[in-house]
Amino acid sequence: MPLLFNQDGAATTHGNNATFAEVSAASQPWLVEANQLVKRYGAHLALDHISLQVRPGEIYGLIGPDGAGKSSLLKAVAGVLAHDEGELRVFSQLINTEADSELIKDRIGLMPQGLGQNLYGDLSVEENIDYFGGLRLLSAEALRERKEALLKSTRLERFRDRPMKNLSGGMKQKLGLVCTLIHEPKLVILDEPTTGVDPVSRREFWSILSRLLQEKGITALVSTAYMDEASRFHRVSLMHEGKILASGEPARMKDLAAGCIVSTVCADAQQQMAAVQRLSQQFPQLEALGQEIRVFVDSADADTARQQVLQTLQQTPAIAQAQTEVQDAELEDVFIALLRQRVAADTNADVNVAGPVLATAADTAAVVSAARPSTQQLAIEARELSRHFGEFKAVDQVSFQVPQGEIFGLLGANGAGKSTVIKMLTGILTQSSGQGMVAGADMRTAGLQIRERIGYMSQAFSLYLDLSVLENIRLYAGIYGLSRQQTAERMDWILNMAGLRPFGHALTASLPMGLRQRLALGCALIHRPQVLFLDEPTSGVDPLGRRAFWEVLFRLSREEHVTILVTTHYMSEAEHCDHIALMYAGRVVADASPEQLKSRLEQEAGQLVEVDCADAPQALQVLQQAGFASASLFGPKLHVLLKDLEADSQGVRASLQAFDVSAIKPRRLSMEDVFVHIVTSLEQQDAQHQDTQHQKGST
């Protein structure tokens, strides 16, 4: 049964007939009201008696794994998918037929999943907006006024003549939002609008959306694969297998799973592996982030949780003196704990939901050859690597080194040059200048023998969707020239590693994205490579799938010394990396471990704090105007970096006297904070430089 919160914030359980009456004192009718909604695809139950209500003016979030039913629910509300049972009302209109849906479609804006999926690639920014304005029968004057206002709000004015296909991922999504809002709908439905978008663009997208919704009184129903985005919503529902596990305000959702996080930092990879093996026997939910291990301890207060973890670690002498720290659980931790507890209750057994389909150490050993180079040997080296396309410098003298067995993260905004670097290092593109070395060989001249030592999983999907799982594996085995016996061995490992044994004969197109990506990883590893290149491997994959995927990468790196170079837009995944190179405009602008980058940011910009106040979007503008340039919107609260914690906190309170500041609390820095700070600072420097050049040119 779903868990809800009453008006005082206490968790309560209800059957599927439950309403949200107890969580709202509002008297206005629900804008969206679903009661016992059912949708079937053949024998598959996509929506299993779903009940929820959305208030006018709020941002309501749907969060859950692939196949949870989020998209089906959004499409039903948008009137583009018929439901089989139950009752659905939108704007108080009962939706039972296509004719019913037509009565409300002029008040709805739908933005489908995928970068620019509702746009036309060969049309310019302005032409796309004009096309959607025409579809909505706007007058020329209304279209002009709204277009100029939205272009200004989204900072797309300078790009109005650029073809959509040449925009970055973040710009495509902002244009998609403009086209969705051009007719000023009362309800906007967004299906994973920021998947594949870099953190700076994601924050900007949500800030723009929040401001526009507030100005126009628009309601939003949103699905997302990013758990951290849930804090930006007024209320959320956690979905799994067509059902709602829990609903309520994000800040209160964390109370649904009793327990807390105990963090342990290990001295080296060997100590970390020993700690993971020991802790996983006692605690079913844990993850490794770089040299850190985060353990979720069920039903325990901070002191008890720390003691339980320390007692477990003390059973292994090599890690008996480990340092621990207790942290508040994040919403992703709570979601996984809820799901784990539910599965355990259904099966009367402990289930490791954080990694349900992970390879064991013995399984993973079959992936790589017995002979392993020393972990001190460089596996990847870029020496002033450059690639030009005409006069455009996609990659500009990039240099970095990756030791054997390290997980190396290559981060950057859309268009920073990350994929181009990978393509040069794998020999797909030739460099304009510089050298790219992999496994001791120059990839420009490397023969087939060297190429067989690397695995590559591209950003574009690399499997054949019309082939079955087993057929895809056999195809890749044939490409790499594996014998029949080798193919059988690798196939057995892939099916275990990816949790695909029940789906061997299923078409790849029918698999959830998380399983597809693990199949693609298995195919990239089928020939036992020493070096693995992964270009945004988990884009669009749900939190459970991402954790399972990274558990496999962790074991490959720590146990078998496979070198992994990965690009990602999920900054929580960047925490998994041993080392990070951050790219901006084709250049490496930061090169250090995650903890070093956080330490540098704290020294440079100060302590991160969270400000709890009324009317956060308006308060943000006031705070930025008062000189707190780092301030950003984070759900119903504000995040800001303060150099002098005590004095600057007083300055924040003084600036926000009209906004009823109830609390200013220190927060731990994340890699997203680091990424946003560095990239935003560089963007501001570039903007100032362009203004200076423009002024010189005009004089």
Side-chain angles (χ1 to χ4, degrees), residues 126-146:
E126 187 162 23
E127 288 169 340
N128 266 286
I129 299 172
D130 289 343
Y131 177 74
F132 277 85
L135 285 179
R136 293 295 185 172
L137 304 178
L138 297 181
S139 68
E141 183 178 355
L143 174 59
R144 181 185 59 79
E145 290 178 355
R146 294 178 188 181

Side-chain angles (χ1 to χ4, degrees), residues 104 116 178 182 221 250 286 293 297 336 495 517 544 552 614 639 681 696:
I104 62 169
V178 169
I182 192 66
L221 181 59
L286 60 83
I293 303 172
V297 182
I336 291 172
L495 293 176
Q517 295 300 76
L544 293 180
V552 174
H639 279 190
S681 298
K696 288 181 179 179

Side-chain angles (χ1 to χ4, degrees), residues 160-187:
R160 63 173 70 221
D161 296 325
R162 181 176 295 185
M164 185 282 281
K165 62 186 178 184
N166 294 338
L167 299 176
S168 69
M171 292 170 70
K172 287 178 182 176
Q173 293 305 79
K174 286 194 291 184
L175 176 58
L177 181 62
V178 169
C179 293
T180 302
L181 296 176
I182 192 66
H183 65 296
E184 295 188 353
K186 294 300 181 184
L187 171 64

Side-chain angles (χ1 to χ4, degrees), residues 666-687:
R667 295 274 298 187
R668 288 168 57 91
L669 279 170
S670 67
M671 275 306 302
E672 179 168 323
D673 296 312
V674 173
F675 183 101
V676 170
H677 179 80
I678 293 175
V679 173
T680 301
S681 298
L682 290 169
E683 287 179 344
Q684 292 172 348
Q685 292 175 19
D686 284 352

Side-chain angles (χ1 to χ4, degrees), residues 220-264:
L221 181 59
V222 188
S223 70
T224 180
Y226 295 90
M227 280 286 180
D228 63 299
E229 289 186 346
S231 62
R232 305 175 191 275
F233 307 148
H234 295 95
R235 289 188 298 143
V236 298
S237 284
L238 303 182
M239 297 184 66
H240 180 67
E241 294 183 347
K243 297 180 180 180
I244 292 179
L245 296 182
S247 296
E249 296 177 12
R252 296 173 177 174
M253 295 287 282
K254 296 177 183 179
D255 298 331
L256 290 175
C260 55
I261 295 290
V262 179
S263 170
T264 300

Side-chain angles (χ1 to χ4, degrees), residues 9 16 19 77 137 140 158 189 192 195 282 289 314 361 384 397 425 434 445 448 511 575 600 662:
N16 282 323
T19 70
V77 174
L137 304 178
R158 294 189 295 117
I189 298 171
E192 298 195 9
T195 293
Q282 181 71 23
L289 299 173
Q314 287 168 357
E384 297 188 345
Q397 296 186 322
L425 290 173
T445 58
L448 180 62
L511 298 177
E575 308 278 0
R600 291 175 189 174
S662 58

Side-chain angles (χ1 to χ4, degrees), residues 266-275 290-291 405 554 557-558 561 578:
C266 301
D268 52 45
Q270 184 176 3
Q271 185 184 93
Q272 187 181 38
M273 281 307 305
Q291 295 301 111
F554 172 77
S557 166
R558 296 301 187 260
H561 307 302
D578 301 304

